[in-house]
Amino acid sequence: MGALTLGLVAAFCWSVHDTLVRYISQRVGVFQSLFPVLVSGCVATTVLAIALGADGIATTAGGYAVASGVIFGLTGAAFYRALAVGPVRVVAPSVASFPILSVGWAVLNGQAVTALQWCAVLIVVVGCGFVAATSRDDAGGRAQPAAIGWSVLASVGFAVSFALGQLSVAGGAEMTAIALARVAAVSIVGLLALILRQPVVPERSALPVLMVMGVLDATAIGAVMLAGSFAYPAFASVAASTFGVLTIILAAVFLREAVARIQWAGIVVVFAAIGYLAV
């Protein structure tokens, strides 16, 4: 239950994050949006770690944290790029498949997962994909092959990053590991932008929204990493993957966007499966 709760916290933060993206996605480029988001999240996480008197971290755990941050930064670039070249209904189902990889990795490492739990995981993944695919809120059908390619890379990247992040906190020093991962993510994205000669400073009017997005993103990834201290940490990834579904719900409630009955049915099925995993 602890890992699932943390995953749902992450899903909620990412759903609000994605709702805010709607306001700036048309005028802010990949690196001009991703870099400020990572920087603001890094600052918030580091300040919190210092304020709480975060402990030192073992070399191995620190290595896992750095690797998690580097992969997360690269994955974020792939994810933002996928959203830039393809419609949400193409990107979301592909990216939302990462929990299958997370649970599969857990099984390979000795975690017992029953057949019914596997069924629930598959229902969540397929349900999230179905709800996203039936959404009308997209940018059309352009560049779908490229969008699928970037989305698959993002899916694998999220699974690997979350697994390494959970390993980094398994031995304690949670806040130190989370802060270290954020620093690594900022560093790799900044280096990548420098190599590609891409601007990273957005227009001033977008900064407040990007800063809020950064705090939400840092909270989400921190929640998923903290799940490494609980039983069934891979289930945090499963719950976190529902962020796309929650985004649609938030859009319906606050932006008055229409949600078809068949989508509501998919949403109910997804959270019923999450409820089963919590039992």
Side-chain angles (χ1 to χ4, degrees):
M1 186 63 182
L4 279 171
T5 300
L6 289 169
L8 289 173
V9 169
F12 176 77
C13 290
W14 275 323
S15 66
V16 177
H17 170 284
D18 287 358
T19 302
L20 293 175
V21 167
R22 295 165 186 260
Y23 292 100
I24 61 172
S25 60
Q26 298 301 315
R27 67 177 193 268
V28 180
V30 172
F31 287 95
Q32 288 174 299
S33 54
L34 178 60
F35 189 74
V37 165
L38 292 176
V39 168
S40 55
C42 178
V43 171
T45 302
T46 303
V47 169
L48 182 60
I50 294 173
L52 295 176
D55 299 324
I57 189 169
T59 302
T60 301
Y64 285 141
V66 170
S68 173
V70 168
I71 294 173
F72 186 82
L74 295 175
T75 299
F79 181 48
Y80 276 52
R81 181 60 181 167
L83 289 173
V85 301
V88 172
R89 70 172 64 187
V90 171
V91 175
S94 301
V95 174
S97 65
F98 72 85
I100 296 177
L101 300 175
S102 297
V103 176
W105 174 254
V107 171
L108 290 176
N109 283 275
Q111 177 74 65
V113 178
T114 68
L116 287 177
Q117 288 174 325
W118 264 115
C119 288
V121 170
L122 292 174
I123 288 172
V124 171
V125 171
V126 174
C128 288
F130 173 79
V131 173
T134 53
S135 173
R136 295 182 180 179
D137 183 27
D138 61 50
R142 66 185 188 281
Q144 289 196 10
I148 292 173
W150 286 113
S151 300
V152 170
L153 285 176
S155 178
V156 175
F158 280 133
V160 174
S161 177
F162 294 162
L164 291 171
Q166 290 173 352
L167 285 174
S168 72
V169 305
E174 292 90 349
M175 287 307 304
T176 303
I178 293 171
L180 192 57
R182 302 309 294 180
V183 171
V186 169
S187 300
I188 191 63
V189 171
L191 178 61
L192 186 59
L194 183 63
I195 293 173
L196 298 177
R197 297 183 179 180
Q198 294 292 315
V200 296
V201 180
E203 57 186 73
R204 186 175 300 179
S205 62
L207 279 174
V209 175
L210 289 170
M211 291 174 66
V212 173
M213 288 168 57
V215 173
L216 290 168
D217 183 57
T219 302
I221 187 63
V224 175
M225 288 177 66
L226 284 173
S229 302
F230 292 84
Y232 294 99
F235 286 175
S237 296
V238 178
S241 71
T242 63
F243 70 88
V245 172
L246 291 178
T247 300
I248 291 174
I249 295 175
L250 289 177
V253 173
F254 295 105
L255 302 180
R256 297 292 188 267
E257 294 184 1
V259 179
R261 290 182 179 178
I262 195 169
Q263 284 182 292
W264 282 119
I267 291 169
V268 170
V269 169
V270 165
F271 284 101
I274 290 288
Y276 172 78
L277 290 176
V279 175

